[in-house]
Structure formats: structure tokens, C-alpha cells
Amino acid sequence: MPKFDKMAYASADEMIFGQAKSPVKYGRDFTVGGGYVFPELVPHPRPGTEATKKSLMKEYEKMVTDVLDRCVAIGIPGIQVELEHVYQMTKNPDWGGEIAAQTKHLMEEYYRKFGLRSAIRATIADYRKPDEEDIRSSVALETILKAFEESAVGGADNLSIESVGGKEISDYCIVRQDIRGVLFGIGVLGSRDMEFMWKKIVEIAQKHGATPGGDTNCAQANVAMFMAGGYQDRSVPHTFAALTRAIAAARSLVAYEQGAKGPSKDCGYEDVIVKAITGIPIAMEGKASACAHSDLVGNLIAACCDLWSNEAVEYHDMFGGTTSAVFTEILGYDVALMNTSIELGTAKQLQEMMVYSDKYRDMHGFILSPENAYEIGKAIVENNTSYYSRAKAAALKAGELMMNDSQLKMSKFERESLQNALRILDGLPDKEEDFISECIDIYKKLVPGFNPANYGL
């Protein structure tokens, strides 16, 4: 059940990059949210290297060494490396565990020789299939939990996941612009699945002395955002994708209600709203993640970050070195600028430039600007009687903000889409049990494989 009933910050003006109400310390003298932004580099192995444990471990050894070498070479004082599991690392839990141990060994060597502060995030792959199996009792679930165990034992400092509960419904509904189904799939089913998963993840982390990190709605809200795409794309309205993001914030909050401490996952674009509510440090990705995907919030999304990430970059050679080294340098200089502004007392000016460079570029940037994210957060905590009520309130607030700002330009197509979605949201039942009953009747018929029992219903 929802737990947060108040905001961590008195106003959006208190929120700034590098500083969180509840900093987290782990790894080798590594504190996130304690007054300093660190880079988080996510290296990705080349196709084929995952064929055997030996070849994959060798690939990770080279990638991580390149990251640490470049930090020392240009004077980056600290870094977090994310071991974002390819499926082979989760399906073979010992692989993920041994790669974590190997990475920890390298980081300890660089800390001893050069004083380089560092930490490891292990993100376990959620390969459960909600439309094909019992996701609360399956081989996939057992293997995923074993992978968490092995990674923590191996030396991962932070345990995270990109959970997929409710995806069978949201996938069906996003392409059809069915806001009721998105609210059900993400706001209700996704939240219930996170409650189930995060109780177990937190228990494992506490057992092994690791920090339970965070989750992201990458599998759903990011699908809507990337389908909305740029100015030339019309597969999904940008206003609809923004409503999906607001709903996702109410859902991603559940990890922290179950005991996660942060920092959050980098691809959780909703995390600025989560930070406003919880005060946890957050990882974000923007312009330096163009190696993985394009978006319309490259600068703005850094406004409140505590880790600054590149999302994922496949390991190859570039003129400036390997991709791991090059993107470490790019991230390192980005955070050096942020940290210098903190030291000079000009962080708010830099934040303002980040925000206004993208705030009116797109609806996503608009609702994720700190002041609007804060308002959406307030709507969530003020309507916390159920997962449904707070997710619905978040969407309605995001819609209200978009409709009432004359500087936000939208086409007739975008405006009509938004107005239609808001009319549907306004007409939905007041009580969660009535909404769930209505949705089960509808989506059991429309979505093959949808099983309410996967969500305790």
C-alpha cells in the first residue's frame, strides 16, 4: 500500500543536482547525493562475447579497466560502474556474481594505487513473461533472485532492476492510446508487482550488506516516450506519453516504500518526481546517452541528478579510445561543470539554464522541469489512499499543467489527444476496487495471457 504522504522538500526551489535529503554511502568512499555529482558509466559487451562466461568476463575486464584508466588519466575523482546484466548474466547467476567480483577487485586496486573512489551497481535482468507464466512462482523468478544473491556476494554495492509487471497490458494500450489501460497496467499492476518484488530484493540486499538501489519504468513509460519520438513522429502523441510518465512516477515510488535507498536507475525519467517525494539521490541520463537513444530532454533532465549516466554504450574503438573510455570522459567533464558550479555558488544559475534549454522543447521536458515535477509529486502524496488514486491524480495534474501553460506549444492533434485522455480519466471510478473490477473484465478479453493472479487479484 502507498506510504508516502508528504514531500521531502518544502519547494522545488530546494532541489538541485548533487544534493539529496537522504544521501547514500557505499563502495570505496563513495557517497551519492552528498554535495557532489558523480558519473555512472554503463558499458555494454559486444555481441558474441556473451557466448561463454570466460569471454564475457574478459570483455568486462577490458571495459572496466578502460573506465578506471580514463578516470585517473584526466582526474575524475570517482565513478560508479553499472553492470547492467545481459540475459546470460542473470540466467547464469554465477556469471553475474563473478563479473561483480572481478570488477570489485579492479576498483580496489585503483582505489589503493590512485585513491579513485568507486562503486558497482548490478542491475538484474527481469526476464519474467507476465503473459506466459506465473510471475510470482516461476523458474525465472527463482533465477532472478539467485542472480541478486550472487551479485551481492560477488561485491555489487547497489542492487537494482527494471521490473516488467503490467507490461502485457501497457504494451497493448500504449499503441492504442488507451489511457485507462495504461493507468491499469502501470499504475495498478506495475505497482503491485513492484511491492511483491522489492520486498524480496530488499531482504537479499540487507542479508549481504548491499544497498537496495531502485527501479525504473523503462519497460513501459520509456516505450511511450520513444514511440512519441521527435517532431517528425506521430505514432504516439507526446501529450499521451507525458501522461504515461506521470503515472510511472507513482509506480516507481513503490521501491522506496519497500525499503530501497537509491540512487535510482538512470533510465527512470520519472525520478525527479520521486526525488521530490522521497529525498533519495537519483541517477539520470540525458545528452550523453545519445549513444543509446535520442530524446528531447538532454540538458533539463540533469537539473536534479546525483549520478549522471550514459545509459549504455557498446564496447568498440573510437579515435579517442574505446567507447567506455570516451564516454567516461564525456560524463566526467559534464559532472565537473556541475560540481564547479556548486563550489562557486552558481548551481542554481546552471540549473536554470539546463531547465530552460529544454522545458518547452517537448511535453516530457515540461512536466519533468523541477517546478512541475514537484506539483505532480504533491498530487501523488495528497491522493495516497491507493496505487490507483495516486497514479490517476498524477496524470490529471500533468494534464492540467500542460493545458494551462500558454508557452507550451502543441498542435491540434496533440491538444485533442490530451483533452480526450483527460475526459476519460475524469470519468473513471473513484474507488480502486471498482476500477480494477472494470479493467479485469475489459482486458481479460482483449489481452491474450493476461492473468490477474500474477498481481494477487
Side-chain angles (χ1 to χ4, degrees):
M1 291 298 295
K3 294 180 181 175
F4 285 105
D5 59 4
K6 60 183 179 182
M7 304 294 282
Y9 295 86
S11 72
D13 194 49
E14 287 187 0
M15 298 170 63
I16 189 70
F17 48 78
Q19 298 176 27
K21 287 280 187 179
S22 303
V24 177
K25 185 174 183 179
Y26 50 60
R28 286 139 292 282
D29 193 21
F30 197 79
T31 301
V32 188
Y36 200 93
V37 184
F38 285 104
E40 179 170 26
L41 194 283
V42 191
H44 196 83
R46 289 167 290 186
T49 57
E50 79 287 0
T52 68
K53 180 169 69 173
K54 182 179 179 181
S55 60
L56 191 59
M57 287 189 67
K58 187 64 179 176
E59 184 84 339
Y60 267 99
E61 181 183 24
K62 289 188 291 186
M63 293 191 296
V64 172
T65 300
D66 288 351
V67 171
L68 303 180
D69 270 343
R70 186 60 62 99
C71 284
V72 173
I74 66 168
I76 299 172
I79 192 163
Q80 177 159 297
V81 172
E82 181 181 3
L83 304 176
E84 192 169 58
H85 280 203
V86 294
Y87 284 124
Q88 289 80 1
M89 291 165 69
T90 295
K91 291 183 175 180
N92 302 283
D94 61 308
W95 293 26
E98 291 186 37
I99 289 170
Q102 173 182 266
T103 302
K104 181 179 180 182
H105 175 76
L106 287 168
M107 287 183 166
E108 287 180 338
E109 181 182 348
Y110 277 75
Y111 183 61
R112 187 172 59 252
K113 288 182 177 177
F114 307 107
L116 179 63
R117 289 175 271 170
S118 61
I120 304 167
R121 183 203 298 271
T123 299
I124 309 305
D126 186 359
Y127 70 95
R128 296 173 299 154
K129 296 180 178 177
D131 55 345
E132 295 182 12
E133 61 186 350
D134 179 351
I135 62 172
R136 294 192 168 195
S137 178
S138 64
V139 172
L141 175 63
E142 291 178 10
T143 307
I144 287 166
L145 297 178
K146 180 67 173 172
F148 274 112
E149 293 258 11
E150 293 281 340
S151 289
V153 171
D157 304 297
N158 176 302
L159 302 180
S160 296
I161 193 171
E162 300 181 5
S163 62
V164 299
K167 183 171 171 57
E168 74 277 32
I169 300 296
S170 60
D171 278 354
Y172 179 89
C173 295
I174 287 171
V175 296
R176 292 168 175 80
Q177 297 164 41
D178 176 355
I179 194 66
R180 174 178 51 196
V182 168
L183 181 60
F184 182 52
I186 298 175
V188 176
L189 302 184
S191 295
R192 294 176 72 91
D193 182 59
M194 283 189 64
E195 182 177 326
F196 171 80
M197 288 294 290
W198 274 93
K199 286 178 180 174
K200 298 179 182 299
I201 297 167
V202 169
E203 185 178 326
I204 292 170
Q206 290 174 341
K207 177 181 174 183
H208 298 289
T211 296
D215 208 316
T216 162
N217 200 220
C218 186
Q220 297 163 298
N222 286 8
V223 170
M225 184 175 80
F226 295 134
M227 288 191 70
Y231 295 144
Q232 294 176 302
D233 302 296
R234 295 171 66 93
S235 297
V236 170
H238 291 230
T239 48
F240 187 89
L243 296 179
T244 302
R245 180 67 61 192
I247 292 169
R251 169 261 183 209
S252 292
L253 189 61
V254 176
Y256 312 100
E257 292 174 321
Q258 296 305 318
K261 302 296 182 186
S264 64
K265 270 284 294 169
D266 54 354
C267 56
Y269 286 75
E270 63 274 13
D271 285 342
V272 62
I273 302 171
V274 172
K275 182 173 183 175
I277 297 170
T278 64
I280 62 143
I282 59 173
M284 301 303 299
E285 62 186 39
K287 58 189 176 185
S289 65
C291 53
H293 59 72
S294 177
D295 62 48
L296 293 163
V297 292
N299 292 317
L300 175 143
I301 208 67
C304 299
C305 75
D306 301 290
L307 291 174
W308 183 232
S309 167
N310 66 304
E311 161 67 69
V313 63
E314 193 169 285
Y315 192 53
H316 290 290
D317 287 327
M318 302 179 76
F319 286 142
T322 65
T323 49
S324 294
V326 167
F327 279 84
T328 295
E329 182 164 335
I330 291 170
L331 293 173
Y333 278 112
D334 279 348
V335 303
L337 182 62
M338 296 183 220
N339 292 325
T340 300
S341 74
I342 293 171
E343 292 168 2
L344 294 176
T346 55
K348 293 303 290 186
Q349 288 95 320
L350 178 58
Q351 184 191 52
E352 186 177 10
M353 287 187 277
M354 291 172 173
V355 170
Y356 281 95
S357 71
D358 296 333
K359 181 177 179 180
Y360 293 106
R361 189 185 302 278
D362 177 63
M363 291 67 179
H364 247 84
F366 176 77
I367 69 159
L368 297 178
S369 62
E371 65 273 25
N372 286 337
Y374 190 87
E375 292 302 313
I376 294 169
K378 279 178 62 180
I380 290 172
V381 301
E382 290 170 356
N383 292 273
N384 71 338
T385 54
S386 69
Y387 291 140
Y388 162 65
S389 61
R390 71 183 190 181
K392 177 183 168 184
L396 286 168
K397 175 56 70 175
E400 176 191 324
L401 291 167
M402 286 189 279
M403 289 296 295
N404 293 335
D405 192 318
S406 60
Q407 294 186 70
L408 182 65
K409 306 300 180 188
M410 61 179 87
S411 65
K412 181 182 177 184
F413 166 72
E414 292 286 354
R415 185 173 294 277
E416 287 180 352
S417 170
L418 177 58
Q419 290 170 333
N420 182 54
L422 293 177
R423 274 195 299 271
I424 293 170
L425 288 168
D426 274 330
L428 294 176
D430 291 331
K431 295 181 179 178
E432 183 179 64
E433 57 266 34
D434 294 338
F435 177 69
I436 289 175
S437 177
E438 177 182 299
C439 287
I440 288 176
D441 287 344
I442 294 170
Y443 296 107
K444 279 276 284 182
K445 298 171 185 171
L446 295 176
V447 181
F450 169 48
N451 180 9
N454 273 333
Y455 306 98
L457 296 171

